[in-house]
Amino acid sequence: MNKIKLLIAGICVSGVLFLLPVMGLGQTAVEPSYEVSLQLLMGSNDAGPKGSLPSSLSGISQRLKANYSYSNYRLSDTLFGRISNRGKFEYRSIANFGRDVVIQQPSFVEMTANELKTGLTAKGGQAFLLESFRFGAKVPVVTSVSKDESGKERSVVSYEQIGITLNKVGLSENVPTLIGTLNMPGVNDTLFVVMTVKTVDQ
């Protein structure tokens, strides 16, 4: 009888040991996540108080001042997204590029990052490649001014579509990179699009 009990116990233990690796095959390892941030910088010659850029953008700031003649650079907005290797995300929201208070109309932005891949730079540092990237905005432009029955002036607003579409964008990890510029309709301001990708904890 004891031999039978030992035999049954041995069979049970063997079955458990056999099932453990099989059960492990059904589990998927969670890949690291990466944060994609898009910082929108506005260059203008406004006479108002000058804005200040974050210290993390000091390199970008020096480059802009060396290549553009604007007297004022400020951070207009920051967009965030979280993505894994070969992942994709889409972002749509309302934005404020600094002119909305005047014309009392919102701006709309959208961002799409597709197929993020990890790799190495030529020097061996962490790098990222986006197969495609799209940033777009619908911004209001005053096309004319009319008067209502009371004589009050009212602005006639039309929305203009602006945007950047890129294929195969390469970036070093945690290095703010200027990826494009956009001229703002109706004004002399320029929007500078800066992207940063970095690893984040799960």
Side-chain angles (χ1 to χ4, degrees), residues 6-49:
L6 289 174
L7 179 61
I8 294 174
I11 293 173
C12 291
V13 172
S14 298
V16 172
L17 293 176
F18 173 77
L19 288 174
L20 284 176
V22 175
M23 293 170 62
L25 292 176
Q27 298 178 350
T28 302
V30 178
E31 296 186 3
S33 293
Y34 307 98
E35 180 186 272
V36 179
S37 66
L38 208 65
Q39 292 170 293
L40 308 179
L41 313 183
M42 189 71 71
S44 69
N45 289 316
D46 289 345

mmCIF file of all heavy atoms in Angstrom, residues 6-49:
data_model
loop_
_atom_site.group_PDB
_atom_site.id
_atom_site.type_symbol
_atom_site.label_atom_id
_atom_site.label_comp_id
_atom_site.label_asym_id
_atom_site.label_seq_id
_atom_site.Cartn_x
_atom_site.Cartn_y
_atom_site.Cartn_z
ATOM 1 N N LEU A 6 3.348 6.039 -2.744
ATOM 2 C CA LEU A 6 4.573 6.697 -3.228
ATOM 3 C C LEU A 6 4.553 6.853 -4.740
ATOM 4 O O LEU A 6 4.997 7.863 -5.284
ATOM 5 C CB LEU A 6 5.798 5.895 -2.777
ATOM 6 C CG LEU A 6 6.124 5.936 -1.281
ATOM 7 C CD1 LEU A 6 7.267 4.978 -0.959
ATOM 8 C CD2 LEU A 6 6.482 7.353 -0.855
ATOM 9 N N LEU A 7 4.005 5.818 -5.432
ATOM 10 C CA LEU A 7 3.936 5.867 -6.891
ATOM 11 C C LEU A 7 2.997 6.981 -7.351
ATOM 12 O O LEU A 7 3.314 7.740 -8.270
ATOM 13 C CB LEU A 7 3.468 4.515 -7.427
ATOM 14 C CG LEU A 7 3.312 4.419 -8.957
ATOM 15 C CD1 LEU A 7 4.655 4.672 -9.640
ATOM 16 C CD2 LEU A 7 2.765 3.033 -9.344
ATOM 17 N N ILE A 8 1.831 7.072 -6.677
ATOM 18 C CA ILE A 8 0.862 8.121 -7.040
ATOM 19 C C ILE A 8 1.444 9.508 -6.781
ATOM 20 O O ILE A 8 1.317 10.427 -7.583
ATOM 21 C CB ILE A 8 -0.442 7.921 -6.250
ATOM 22 C CG1 ILE A 8 -1.126 6.610 -6.677
ATOM 23 C CG2 ILE A 8 -1.376 9.102 -6.454
ATOM 24 C CD1 ILE A 8 -2.343 6.250 -5.854
ATOM 25 N N ALA A 9 2.117 9.660 -5.619
ATOM 26 C CA ALA A 9 2.735 10.949 -5.290
ATOM 27 C C ALA A 9 3.792 11.327 -6.316
ATOM 28 O O ALA A 9 3.916 12.486 -6.719
ATOM 29 C CB ALA A 9 3.341 10.891 -3.897
ATOM 30 N N GLY A 10 4.585 10.343 -6.746
ATOM 31 C CA GLY A 10 5.620 10.611 -7.748
ATOM 32 C C GLY A 10 5.035 11.040 -9.065
ATOM 33 O O GLY A 10 5.557 11.932 -9.746
ATOM 34 N N ILE A 11 3.900 10.410 -9.453
ATOM 35 C CA ILE A 11 3.243 10.783 -10.707
ATOM 36 C C ILE A 11 2.719 12.214 -10.636
ATOM 37 O O ILE A 11 2.837 12.996 -11.584
ATOM 38 C CB ILE A 11 2.103 9.792 -11.021
ATOM 39 C CG1 ILE A 11 2.685 8.405 -11.333
ATOM 40 C CG2 ILE A 11 1.263 10.287 -12.191
ATOM 41 C CD1 ILE A 11 1.630 7.327 -11.496
ATOM 42 N N CYS A 12 2.132 12.565 -9.473
ATOM 43 C CA CYS A 12 1.605 13.933 -9.304
ATOM 44 C C CYS A 12 2.704 14.980 -9.385
ATOM 45 O O CYS A 12 2.567 16.009 -10.040
ATOM 46 C CB CYS A 12 0.875 14.027 -7.971
ATOM 47 S SG CYS A 12 -0.663 13.067 -7.913
ATOM 48 N N VAL A 13 3.823 14.728 -8.699
ATOM 49 C CA VAL A 13 4.952 15.674 -8.733
ATOM 50 C C VAL A 13 5.501 15.808 -10.135
ATOM 51 O O VAL A 13 5.808 16.901 -10.606
ATOM 52 C CB VAL A 13 6.051 15.215 -7.750
ATOM 53 C CG1 VAL A 13 7.301 16.079 -7.924
ATOM 54 C CG2 VAL A 13 5.554 15.291 -6.318
ATOM 55 N N SER A 14 5.623 14.703 -10.844
ATOM 56 C CA SER A 14 6.134 14.738 -12.220
ATOM 57 C C SER A 14 5.211 15.537 -13.124
ATOM 58 O O SER A 14 5.654 16.287 -13.991
ATOM 59 C CB SER A 14 6.289 13.307 -12.760
ATOM 60 O OG SER A 14 7.216 12.583 -11.987
ATOM 61 N N GLY A 15 3.883 15.382 -12.899
ATOM 62 C CA GLY A 15 2.924 16.126 -13.709
ATOM 63 C C GLY A 15 3.034 17.619 -13.494
ATOM 64 O O GLY A 15 2.978 18.402 -14.438
ATOM 65 N N VAL A 16 3.188 18.025 -12.223
ATOM 66 C CA VAL A 16 3.343 19.451 -11.928
ATOM 67 C C VAL A 16 4.606 20.009 -12.553
ATOM 68 O O VAL A 16 4.612 21.099 -13.156
ATOM 69 C CB VAL A 16 3.340 19.684 -10.408
ATOM 70 C CG1 VAL A 16 3.695 21.129 -10.093
ATOM 71 C CG2 VAL A 16 1.984 19.333 -9.812
ATOM 72 N N LEU A 17 5.716 19.285 -12.428
ATOM 73 C CA LEU A 17 6.981 19.739 -13.005
ATOM 74 C C LEU A 17 6.898 19.836 -14.521
ATOM 75 O O LEU A 17 7.539 20.689 -15.146
ATOM 76 C CB LEU A 17 8.112 18.786 -12.589
ATOM 77 C CG LEU A 17 8.453 18.781 -11.091
ATOM 78 C CD1 LEU A 17 9.517 17.715 -10.808
ATOM 79 C CD2 LEU A 17 8.932 20.139 -10.642
ATOM 80 N N PHE A 18 6.074 18.973 -15.131
ATOM 81 C CA PHE A 18 5.923 19.010 -16.587
ATOM 82 C C PHE A 18 5.074 20.200 -17.021
ATOM 83 O O PHE A 18 5.335 20.834 -18.045
ATOM 84 C CB PHE A 18 5.279 17.704 -17.066
ATOM 85 C CG PHE A 18 4.931 17.701 -18.545
ATOM 86 C CD1 PHE A 18 5.908 17.531 -19.502
ATOM 87 C CD2 PHE A 18 3.620 17.908 -18.955
ATOM 88 C CE1 PHE A 18 5.589 17.538 -20.859
ATOM 89 C CE2 PHE A 18 3.291 17.929 -20.293
ATOM 90 C CZ PHE A 18 4.279 17.732 -21.256
ATOM 91 N N LEU A 19 4.045 20.534 -16.234
ATOM 92 C CA LEU A 19 3.125 21.601 -16.614
ATOM 93 C C LEU A 19 3.700 22.996 -16.407
ATOM 94 O O LEU A 19 3.315 23.939 -17.092
ATOM 95 C CB LEU A 19 1.824 21.474 -15.818
ATOM 96 C CG LEU A 19 0.909 20.303 -16.213
ATOM 97 C CD1 LEU A 19 -0.267 20.226 -15.251
ATOM 98 C CD2 LEU A 19 0.407 20.470 -17.640
ATOM 99 N N LEU A 20 4.634 23.154 -15.442
ATOM 100 C CA LEU A 20 5.172 24.486 -15.154
ATOM 101 C C LEU A 20 5.771 25.172 -16.376
ATOM 102 O O LEU A 20 5.438 26.325 -16.679
ATOM 103 C CB LEU A 20 6.182 24.403 -14.008
ATOM 104 C CG LEU A 20 5.575 24.246 -12.610
ATOM 105 C CD1 LEU A 20 6.691 24.080 -11.584
ATOM 106 C CD2 LEU A 20 4.697 25.441 -12.258
ATOM 107 N N PRO A 21 6.687 24.520 -17.133
ATOM 108 C CA PRO A 21 7.225 25.201 -18.319
ATOM 109 C C PRO A 21 6.187 25.425 -19.393
ATOM 110 O O PRO A 21 6.243 26.392 -20.142
ATOM 111 C CB PRO A 21 8.344 24.258 -18.784
ATOM 112 C CG PRO A 21 8.017 22.936 -18.183
ATOM 113 C CD PRO A 21 7.348 23.238 -16.886
ATOM 114 N N VAL A 22 5.193 24.520 -19.476
ATOM 115 C CA VAL A 22 4.148 24.691 -20.482
ATOM 116 C C VAL A 22 3.298 25.911 -20.155
ATOM 117 O O VAL A 22 2.935 26.710 -21.012
ATOM 118 C CB VAL A 22 3.261 23.421 -20.548
ATOM 119 C CG1 VAL A 22 2.093 23.655 -21.521
ATOM 120 C CG2 VAL A 22 4.095 22.228 -20.983
ATOM 121 N N MET A 23 2.975 26.074 -18.860
ATOM 122 C CA MET A 23 2.220 27.254 -18.432
ATOM 123 C C MET A 23 2.999 28.533 -18.688
ATOM 124 O O MET A 23 2.442 29.564 -19.046
ATOM 125 C CB MET A 23 1.883 27.129 -16.949
ATOM 126 C CG MET A 23 0.908 26.004 -16.634
ATOM 127 S SD MET A 23 0.749 25.714 -14.868
ATOM 128 C CE MET A 23 0.113 27.284 -14.330
ATOM 129 N N GLY A 24 4.307 28.475 -18.516
ATOM 130 C CA GLY A 24 5.138 29.658 -18.741
ATOM 131 C C GLY A 24 5.140 30.101 -20.184
ATOM 132 O O GLY A 24 5.307 31.278 -20.487
ATOM 133 N N LEU A 25 4.927 29.126 -21.128
ATOM 134 C CA LEU A 25 4.926 29.474 -22.540
ATOM 135 C C LEU A 25 3.745 30.369 -22.897
ATOM 136 O O LEU A 25 3.789 31.124 -23.855
ATOM 137 C CB LEU A 25 4.884 28.192 -23.391
ATOM 138 C CG LEU A 25 6.138 27.305 -23.346
ATOM 139 C CD1 LEU A 25 5.905 26.042 -24.150
ATOM 140 C CD2 LEU A 25 7.332 28.066 -23.909
ATOM 141 N N GLY A 26 2.676 30.287 -22.115
ATOM 142 C CA GLY A 26 1.498 31.099 -22.410
ATOM 143 C C GLY A 26 1.605 32.520 -21.889
ATOM 144 O O GLY A 26 0.739 33.338 -22.153
ATOM 145 N N GLN A 27 2.632 32.862 -21.150
ATOM 146 C CA GLN A 27 2.796 34.196 -20.608
ATOM 147 C C GLN A 27 3.708 35.033 -21.505
ATOM 148 O O GLN A 27 4.728 34.551 -21.978
ATOM 149 C CB GLN A 27 3.380 34.124 -19.202
ATOM 150 C CG GLN A 27 2.481 33.392 -18.203
ATOM 151 C CD GLN A 27 3.113 33.299 -16.826
ATOM 152 O OE1 GLN A 27 4.285 33.614 -16.666
ATOM 153 N NE2 GLN A 27 2.344 32.857 -15.850
ATOM 154 N N THR A 28 3.299 36.272 -21.749
ATOM 155 C CA THR A 28 4.061 37.171 -22.608
ATOM 156 C C THR A 28 4.849 38.157 -21.750
ATOM 157 O O THR A 28 4.276 38.813 -20.876
ATOM 158 C CB THR A 28 3.124 37.945 -23.547
ATOM 159 O OG1 THR A 28 2.367 37.015 -24.329
ATOM 160 C CG2 THR A 28 3.925 38.868 -24.465
ATOM 161 N N ALA A 29 6.141 38.245 -22.006
ATOM 162 C CA ALA A 29 6.965 39.200 -21.273
ATOM 163 C C ALA A 29 6.584 40.623 -21.670
ATOM 164 O O ALA A 29 6.386 40.919 -22.851
ATOM 165 C CB ALA A 29 8.443 38.942 -21.572
ATOM 166 N N VAL A 30 6.432 41.498 -20.683
ATOM 167 C CA VAL A 30 6.069 42.880 -20.945
ATOM 168 C C VAL A 30 7.317 43.671 -21.319
ATOM 169 O O VAL A 30 8.287 43.715 -20.567
ATOM 170 C CB VAL A 30 5.396 43.522 -19.708
ATOM 171 C CG1 VAL A 30 5.066 44.978 -19.980
ATOM 172 C CG2 VAL A 30 4.138 42.744 -19.339
ATOM 173 N N GLU A 31 7.291 44.280 -22.514
ATOM 174 C CA GLU A 31 8.436 45.039 -22.984
ATOM 175 C C GLU A 31 8.510 46.396 -22.280
ATOM 176 O O GLU A 31 7.502 46.890 -21.765
ATOM 177 C CB GLU A 31 8.343 45.246 -24.495
ATOM 178 C CG GLU A 31 8.410 43.952 -25.297
ATOM 179 C CD GLU A 31 8.453 44.226 -26.785
ATOM 180 O OE1 GLU A 31 8.492 45.411 -27.161
ATOM 181 O OE2 GLU A 31 8.453 43.265 -27.559
ATOM 182 N N PRO A 32 9.680 46.990 -22.272
ATOM 183 C CA PRO A 32 9.809 48.325 -21.681
ATOM 184 C C PRO A 32 8.920 49.338 -22.401
ATOM 185 O O PRO A 32 8.593 49.185 -23.576
ATOM 186 C CB PRO A 32 11.296 48.654 -21.885
ATOM 187 C CG PRO A 32 11.959 47.339 -22.088
ATOM 188 C CD PRO A 32 10.960 46.464 -22.767
ATOM 189 N N SER A 33 8.508 50.349 -21.681
ATOM 190 C CA SER A 33 7.712 51.422 -22.269
ATOM 191 C C SER A 33 8.582 52.655 -22.484
ATOM 192 O O SER A 33 9.600 52.845 -21.815
ATOM 193 C CB SER A 33 6.529 51.779 -21.361
ATOM 194 O OG SER A 33 5.604 50.726 -21.295
ATOM 195 N N TYR A 34 8.169 53.477 -23.426
ATOM 196 C CA TYR A 34 8.922 54.678 -23.768
ATOM 197 C C TYR A 34 7.969 55.863 -23.808
ATOM 198 O O TYR A 34 6.821 55.743 -24.228
ATOM 199 C CB TYR A 34 9.626 54.512 -25.121
ATOM 200 C CG TYR A 34 10.458 53.266 -25.193
ATOM 201 C CD1 TYR A 34 9.964 52.113 -25.794
ATOM 202 C CD2 TYR A 34 11.731 53.221 -24.627
ATOM 203 C CE1 TYR A 34 10.718 50.955 -25.834
ATOM 204 C CE2 TYR A 34 12.488 52.063 -24.665
ATOM 205 C CZ TYR A 34 11.976 50.932 -25.263
ATOM 206 O OH TYR A 34 12.708 49.775 -25.296
ATOM 207 N N GLU A 35 8.457 56.992 -23.334
ATOM 208 C CA GLU A 35 7.675 58.221 -23.327
ATOM 209 C C GLU A 35 8.085 59.102 -24.494
ATOM 210 O O GLU A 35 9.259 59.418 -24.661
ATOM 211 C CB GLU A 35 7.894 58.968 -22.014
ATOM 212 C CG GLU A 35 7.100 60.270 -21.918
ATOM 213 C CD GLU A 35 7.447 61.049 -20.665
ATOM 214 O OE1 GLU A 35 6.810 60.801 -19.624
ATOM 215 O OE2 GLU A 35 8.376 61.880 -20.738
ATOM 216 N N VAL A 36 7.110 59.473 -25.293
ATOM 217 C CA VAL A 36 7.337 60.398 -26.402
ATOM 218 C C VAL A 36 6.713 61.738 -26.014
ATOM 219 O O VAL A 36 5.516 61.824 -25.743
ATOM 220 C CB VAL A 36 6.691 59.878 -27.703
ATOM 221 C CG1 VAL A 36 6.910 60.876 -28.834
ATOM 222 C CG2 VAL A 36 7.264 58.520 -28.088
ATOM 223 N N SER A 37 7.529 62.756 -25.940
ATOM 224 C CA SER A 37 7.018 64.094 -25.628
ATOM 225 C C SER A 37 7.254 65.014 -26.816
ATOM 226 O O SER A 37 8.285 64.940 -27.490
ATOM 227 C CB SER A 37 7.686 64.664 -24.374
ATOM 228 O OG SER A 37 9.059 64.898 -24.597
ATOM 229 N N LEU A 38 6.267 65.832 -27.067
ATOM 230 C CA LEU A 38 6.355 66.798 -28.152
ATOM 231 C C LEU A 38 6.196 68.179 -27.521
ATOM 232 O O LEU A 38 5.155 68.491 -26.938
ATOM 233 C CB LEU A 38 5.249 66.545 -29.174
ATOM 234 C CG LEU A 38 5.555 66.956 -30.616
ATOM 235 C CD1 LEU A 38 6.692 66.102 -31.160
ATOM 236 C CD2 LEU A 38 4.325 66.811 -31.488
ATOM 237 N N GLN A 39 7.238 68.989 -27.626
ATOM 238 C CA GLN A 39 7.198 70.346 -27.082
ATOM 239 C C GLN A 39 7.073 71.333 -28.237
ATOM 240 O O GLN A 39 7.861 71.294 -29.193
ATOM 241 C CB GLN A 39 8.453 70.623 -26.251
ATOM 242 C CG GLN A 39 8.488 69.800 -24.966
ATOM 243 C CD GLN A 39 9.809 69.885 -24.253
ATOM 244 O OE1 GLN A 39 10.820 69.392 -24.754
ATOM 245 N NE2 GLN A 39 9.825 70.492 -23.069
ATOM 246 N N LEU A 40 6.081 72.186 -28.133
ATOM 247 C CA LEU A 40 5.797 73.164 -29.180
ATOM 248 C C LEU A 40 6.305 74.523 -28.724
ATOM 249 O O LEU A 40 5.805 75.094 -27.760
ATOM 250 C CB LEU A 40 4.293 73.210 -29.453
ATOM 251 C CG LEU A 40 3.629 71.850 -29.735
ATOM 252 C CD1 LEU A 40 2.136 72.021 -29.959
ATOM 253 C CD2 LEU A 40 4.288 71.152 -30.918
ATOM 254 N N LEU A 41 7.310 75.019 -29.417
ATOM 255 C CA LEU A 41 7.922 76.303 -29.077
ATOM 256 C C LEU A 41 7.452 77.355 -30.074
ATOM 257 O O LEU A 41 7.403 77.101 -31.279
ATOM 258 C CB LEU A 41 9.448 76.206 -29.105
ATOM 259 C CG LEU A 41 10.097 75.016 -28.390
ATOM 260 C CD1 LEU A 41 11.605 75.124 -28.468
ATOM 261 C CD2 LEU A 41 9.620 74.923 -26.958
ATOM 262 N N MET A 42 7.151 78.535 -29.561
ATOM 263 C CA MET A 42 6.692 79.611 -30.426
ATOM 264 C C MET A 42 7.737 80.712 -30.487
ATOM 265 O O MET A 42 8.209 81.206 -29.461
ATOM 266 C CB MET A 42 5.379 80.191 -29.895
ATOM 267 C CG MET A 42 4.714 81.172 -30.848
ATOM 268 S SD MET A 42 4.029 80.357 -32.301
ATOM 269 C CE MET A 42 2.634 79.506 -31.555
ATOM 270 N N GLY A 43 8.115 81.066 -31.704
ATOM 271 C CA GLY A 43 9.021 82.184 -31.921
ATOM 272 C C GLY A 43 8.247 83.377 -32.445
ATOM 273 O O GLY A 43 7.466 83.255 -33.396
ATOM 274 N N SER A 44 8.417 84.529 -31.828
ATOM 275 C CA SER A 44 7.668 85.714 -32.241
ATOM 276 C C SER A 44 8.475 86.971 -31.934
ATOM 277 O O SER A 44 9.513 86.926 -31.265
ATOM 278 C CB SER A 44 6.320 85.776 -31.519
ATOM 279 O OG SER A 44 6.514 86.051 -30.143
ATOM 280 N N ASN A 45 7.967 88.079 -32.419
ATOM 281 C CA ASN A 45 8.551 89.391 -32.111
ATOM 282 C C ASN A 45 7.579 90.213 -31.283
ATOM 283 O O ASN A 45 7.526 91.437 -31.397
ATOM 284 C CB ASN A 45 8.907 90.126 -33.412
ATOM 285 C CG ASN A 45 10.092 89.494 -34.115
ATOM 286 O OD1 ASN A 45 11.091 89.144 -33.476
ATOM 287 N ND2 ASN A 45 9.984 89.329 -35.427
ATOM 288 N N ASP A 46 6.799 89.540 -30.448
ATOM 289 C CA ASP A 46 5.837 90.239 -29.589
ATOM 290 C C ASP A 46 6.563 91.221 -28.677
ATOM 291 O O ASP A 46 7.648 90.940 -28.156
ATOM 292 C CB ASP A 46 5.054 89.239 -28.728
ATOM 293 C CG ASP A 46 4.070 88.437 -29.574
ATOM 294 O OD1 ASP A 46 3.809 88.853 -30.714
ATOM 295 O OD2 ASP A 46 3.591 87.400 -29.090
ATOM 296 N N ALA A 47 5.907 92.349 -28.437
ATOM 297 C CA ALA A 47 6.505 93.369 -27.580
ATOM 298 C C ALA A 47 6.278 93.085 -26.104
ATOM 299 O O ALA A 47 6.842 93.764 -25.252
ATOM 300 C CB ALA A 47 5.925 94.741 -27.930
ATOM 301 N N GLY A 48 5.456 92.064 -25.793
ATOM 302 C CA GLY A 48 5.147 91.754 -24.407
ATOM 303 C C GLY A 48 6.327 91.121 -23.691
ATOM 304 O O GLY A 48 7.439 91.011 -24.232
ATOM 305 N N PRO A 49 6.104 90.672 -22.443
ATOM 306 C CA PRO A 49 7.175 90.037 -21.667
ATOM 307 C C PRO A 49 7.730 88.819 -22.383
ATOM 308 O O PRO A 49 6.986 88.038 -22.968
ATOM 309 C CB PRO A 49 6.460 89.640 -20.362
ATOM 310 C CG PRO A 49 5.270 90.539 -20.278
ATOM 311 C CD PRO A 49 4.842 90.778 -21.697
#
